[in-house]
C-alpha cells in the first residue's frame, strides 16, 4: 500500500503542475514561434500575423499597469504565450529575491503561460543586478545550490519551470563536470524541465572545444521540453551569442540533430538586436517548423 501511494505521489509530481488540460494540449501543438519584441508590438496588435505562439521576457511585464500590460493582455487573448525570465539568478548562492518571486507569481497567474523559464546562471549579488547571464562552476556544490533555488521557485509558482543552458566564454578551473553533466544533474535534482538553447550549445562547443553532438547525447531526452535557436557572431577563434542575425547553417544542422534526439519540441526563434521586420523572422520560423513537422511525421 505504501508503494502504491508513493508511486501515485510521484505521478502527481511529474504531471504538469496546475496546468489545465487546455494548456497541456496546446503545448503539444505549439510548433515554432518567436520572441515578442517591442519593435513588433504594433504589427502584432494591428495585423494579428500568423505566429503560432510568442515568448515574452518576464521582467518586461512585471509591472503594475500601463502600456506593457495592455500589450500583454491583447496578445494573450489571441496567442499562446510563454514567460522567459532573465534575472531570477537561479544559480546564485543567495536566496531567490522574495519580491521578485512574488511579482513573477502574480504575472504567471495573470497570463497562465504554456511555459515559465529562466537561465541556469547567476545575475545578482546583494542588491546589484549585473543584467548579464553569468556562468557557474560545474561542481556538485553549484548543482545543489541551483537545484534548491529552482525548487523554491517551483514551489511558489505551483508548477514546473524550464531551465535554459547559457552561452559562456570562460571555464572555472574548479569545474569537475562537463556542462551537459552539470545541466542534467541540476534538472534531475530540482525535477525541472529543460529549455535547450541549440545555438548556445554550438557557441560553447566552439569556444571550449567539445563536440556539440556529445552534449546532445548527454542530456536526458525526457527533460527537454522546449528549444531556442538564434544567430551568433563568428570571430574565428571565438563565437559570441549575439542574437542579432539569422540562424547559421551549422546551428540549423545541430537543431535537426536535437529534434531527432528529443522530438519536435516547441521552438522559439530569438532576435534581440538589429531586429528585422516580423515577416523576416517568420521566414525562419517556417524553416524551423519544417524541421519539426518532418520529425513529427517520422515519429
Amino acid at each position: 500500500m505504501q508503494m502504491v501511494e508513493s508511486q501515485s505521489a510521484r505521478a502527481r509530481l511529474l504531471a504538469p503542475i496546475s496546468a489545465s488540460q487546455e494548456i497541456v494540449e496546446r503545448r503539444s501543438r505549439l510548433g515554432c514561434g518567436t520572441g515578442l519584441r517591442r519593435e513588433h508590438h504594433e504589427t502584432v496588435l494591428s495585423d494579428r500575423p500568423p505566429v503560432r505562439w510568442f515568448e515574452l521576457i518576464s521582467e518586461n511585464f512585471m509591472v503594475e499597469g500601463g502600456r506593457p500590460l495592455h500589450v500583454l493582455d491583447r496578445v494573450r487573448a489571441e496567442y499562446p504565450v510563454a514567460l522567459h525570465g532573465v534575472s531570477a539568478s537561479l544559480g546564485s548562492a543567495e536566496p531567490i529575491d522574495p519580491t521578485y518571486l512574488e511579482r513573477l507569481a502574480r504575472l504567471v497567474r495573470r497570463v497562465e503561460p504554456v511555459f515559465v523559464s529562466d537561465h541556469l546562471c547567476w545575475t545578482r549579488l546583494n542588491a546589484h543586478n549585473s543584467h548579464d547571464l553569468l556562468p557557474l562552476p560545474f561542481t556538485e556544490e553549484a548543482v545543489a545550490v541551483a537545484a534548491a533555488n529552482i525548487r523554491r521557485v517551483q514551489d511558489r509558482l505551483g508548477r514546473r519551470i524550464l531551465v535554459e543552458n547559457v552561452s559562456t566564454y570562460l571555464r572555472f578551473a574548479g569545474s569537475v563536470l562537463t556542462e551537459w553533466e552539470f545541466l542534467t544533474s541540476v534538472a534531475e535534482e530540482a525535477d525541472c524541465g529543460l529549455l535547450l538553447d541549440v545555438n548556445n550549445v554550438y557557441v560553447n562547443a566552439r569556444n571550449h572545444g567539445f563536440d556539440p553532438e556529445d552534449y546532445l547525447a548527454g542530456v536526458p531526452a525526457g527533460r527537454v521540453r522546449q528549444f531556442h535557436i538564434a544567430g551568433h557572431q563568428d570571430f574565428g577563434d571565438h563565437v559570441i551569442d549575439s542574437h542579432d542575425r539569422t540562424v547559421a547553417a551549422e546551428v540549423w544542422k545541430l537543431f535537426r540533430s536535437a529534434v531527432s534526439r528529443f522530438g519536435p519540441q516547441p521552438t522559439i526563434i530569438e532576435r534581440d538586436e538589429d531586429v528585422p521586420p516580423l515577416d523576416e523572422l517568420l521566414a525562419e520560423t517556417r524553416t524551423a517548423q519544417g524541421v519539426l513537422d518532418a520529425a513529427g511525421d517520422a515519429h
Side-chain angles (χ1 to χ4, degrees), residues 10 31 48 92 132 137 217 219 246 272 276 290 295:
R10 178 67 175 169
R48 294 175 58 188
S92 175
D132 205 351
V219 174
T246 57
D272 296 303

Side-chain angles (χ1 to χ4, degrees), residues 177-198:
L177 304 171
T178 64
E179 182 182 340
W180 51 94
E181 289 171 339
F182 179 74
L183 182 68
T184 297
S185 295
V186 170
E188 296 288 354
E189 186 164 335
D191 196 19
C192 65
L194 293 176
L195 192 175
L196 188 69
D197 190 310
V198 178

